[in-house]
Amino acid sequence: MNTILNERKDNTVYEAQSQSTESHNSIFETNDLNLWYGNTQALKNINLQIPEKKITAIIGPSGCGKSTFIKTLNRMVEMVPIVKTSGDIKYNGTNILNRDFQVEDLRTKVGMVFQKPNPFPKSVYDNIAYGPRIHGIKNKKVLDEIVEKSLRDAFIWDEVKDRLKENAYGLSGGQQQRVCIARCLAIEPEVILMDEPTSALDPISTSKVEELVQELKKKYSIIIVTHNMQQAARISDKTAFFLNGEVVEYNDTETLFSNPSDQRTEDYITGRFG
Ligand SMILES: Nc1ncnc2c1ncn2[C@@H]1O[C@H](COP(=O)(O)OP(=O)(O)O)[C@@H](O)[C@H]1O
Ligand SMILES: [Mg+2]
């Protein structure tokens, strides 16, 4: 399976000993998390500790619960009225599934980027300024600074700096996705959830977004759903393999791909199903 790992760009040298001794703070920790859509159980006893300022990949075949899982992390999944959950999800130690938990605050701390770029039908500038304005920032100079910084941090400033007043719909798909990432950065989140953010993009745009994601982990904790295993192997630190709503295996990415401990993981990563 080293063919997958060898595609990594960062020439990381893995030391076997560092895997067991390394410990990181968890940004999210789920305990016996279950989720049902009506009578259909979509998540089963999920116990995951997601490290801070790392990239965690969620892989697995279609319908295994990847999107459902990441949407529970900012409680967006509740927009489907038939959803029921049990267990808990600790975000920085606080159980976000508690009835009295303030979800608005969570949503500003945990941003999300979707499969299809979904800019607002507004100018590039107004897309980025949208969140800060909602949070009460009106000063033009401050907004200008946030817009520029967010676009720079999303590796898209040079391409759009002369097009800030143009409608974001006029940009290419790959540019739109980086504008969506910039929009997410503008509200200064702690965590960025990404649901197959490159699956609608061409290979060049995909590699730009992958580079960007690796840069972003210096400041943010990133959880990325992908059904592209090469992508998971290239960019992530940790990988969780989901199957039928369960986590089959969760480990350092390098270990999961080179030495999977479950036969189903091995079958999936070697392309026997999925
Ligand atoms: N809004 C919904 N209502 C009912 N069932 C849903 C809904 N969304 C997802 N599901 C079901 O939950 C399971 C997991 O779906 P999903 O999380 O979208 O998987 P993945 O992202 O891995 O493809 C599937 O069986 C799917 O049919
Ligand atoms: Mg999905």
Side-chain angles (χ1 to χ4, degrees):
M1 280 320 299
N2 280 318
T3 48
I4 287 186
L5 288 169
N6 286 341
E7 289 184 34
R8 286 181 75 111
K9 291 177 186 144
D10 59 359
N11 300 321
T12 314
V13 177
Y14 295 101
E15 292 166 29
Q17 69 192 43
S18 69
Q19 288 163 20
S20 52
T21 51
E22 238 182 323
S23 80
H24 295 288
N25 290 336
S26 299
I27 187 92
F28 277 109
E29 185 179 326
T30 72
N31 294 300
D32 291 334
L33 174 67
N34 290 286
L35 182 143
W36 294 263
Y37 291 106
N39 294 322
T40 312
Q41 188 165 6
L43 297 177
K44 300 169 189 162
N45 274 310
I46 310 286
N47 291 289
L48 286 181
Q49 296 190 337
I50 296 178
E52 197 176 25
K53 297 199 175 136
K54 298 273 171 196
I55 302 172
T56 302
I58 310 289
I59 63 167
S62 250
C64 69
K66 303 182 297 297
S67 297
T68 299
F69 176 68
I70 66 164
K71 283 188 286 181
T72 60
L73 300 179
N74 64 355
R75 288 190 31 184
M76 238 182 76
V77 74
E78 288 165 28
M79 288 172 182
V80 180
I82 54 172
V83 161
K84 278 182 303 212
T85 54
S86 72
D88 58 41
I89 302 176
K90 293 207 174 99
Y91 169 61
N92 284 327
T94 304
N95 183 9
I96 64 168
L97 295 182
N98 267 348
R99 248 162 225 269
D100 50 3
F101 184 80
Q102 294 297 311
V103 77
E104 294 72 23
D105 197 33
L106 179 72
R107 302 235 171 96
T108 68
K109 292 281 178 239
V110 183
M112 188 152 180
V113 175
F114 298 85
Q115 188 165 359
K116 269 184 62 190
N118 62 346
F120 303 129
K122 295 170 179 285
S123 70
V124 171
Y125 186 100
D126 287 343
N127 263 274
I128 312 303
Y130 183 85
R133 279 176 175 143
I134 284 184
H135 288 101
I137 299 175
K138 296 196 182 81
N139 184 303
K140 167 106 174 39
K141 192 162 167 284
V142 175
L143 285 172
D144 286 353
E145 280 168 13
I146 293 173
V147 168
E148 176 168 345
K149 177 160 197 321
S150 305
L151 289 166
R152 280 191 189 282
D153 287 352
F155 291 4
I156 180 82
W157 172 251
D158 288 339
E159 288 162 67
V160 298
K161 63 175 192 270
D162 300 320
R163 304 174 67 179
L164 295 177
K165 293 206 167 97
E166 285 177 35
N167 196 298
Y169 281 10
L171 303 174
S172 74
Q175 290 172 329
Q176 287 184 19
Q177 192 64 303
R178 281 176 286 141
V179 165
C180 292
I181 293 170
R183 183 178 64 190
C184 180
L185 301 182
I187 57 165
E188 300 189 335
E190 245 183 346
V191 181
I192 306 175
L193 308 173
M194 299 183 151
D195 195 351
E196 305 198 28
T198 63
S199 65
L201 307 184
D202 61 78
I204 290 173
S205 303
T206 295
S207 72
K208 282 188 186 159
V209 171
E210 286 186 6
E211 258 176 67
L212 168 58
V213 170
Q214 284 176 297
E215 184 66 24
L216 292 176
K217 84 167 176 182
K218 291 178 187 159
K219 287 197 222 154
Y220 309 93
S221 307
I222 295 173
I223 303 162
I224 181 169
V225 170
T226 175
H227 61 229
N228 177 336
M229 285 177 281
Q230 283 78 12
Q231 179 167 73
R234 274 195 298 268
I235 68 174
S236 72
D237 302 292
K238 289 265 190 186
T239 299
F241 170 52
F242 276 58
L243 190 63
N244 299 323
E246 289 178 64
V247 176
V248 170
E249 191 162 345
Y250 178 49
N251 213 331
D252 292 341
T253 296
E254 185 263 349
T255 309
L256 187 133
F257 282 99
S258 62
N259 189 18
S261 59
D262 192 290
Q263 186 62 42
R264 292 167 295 175
T265 314
E266 178 155 357
D267 288 348
Y268 183 69
I269 64 179
T270 53
R272 255 169 242 151
F273 71 95

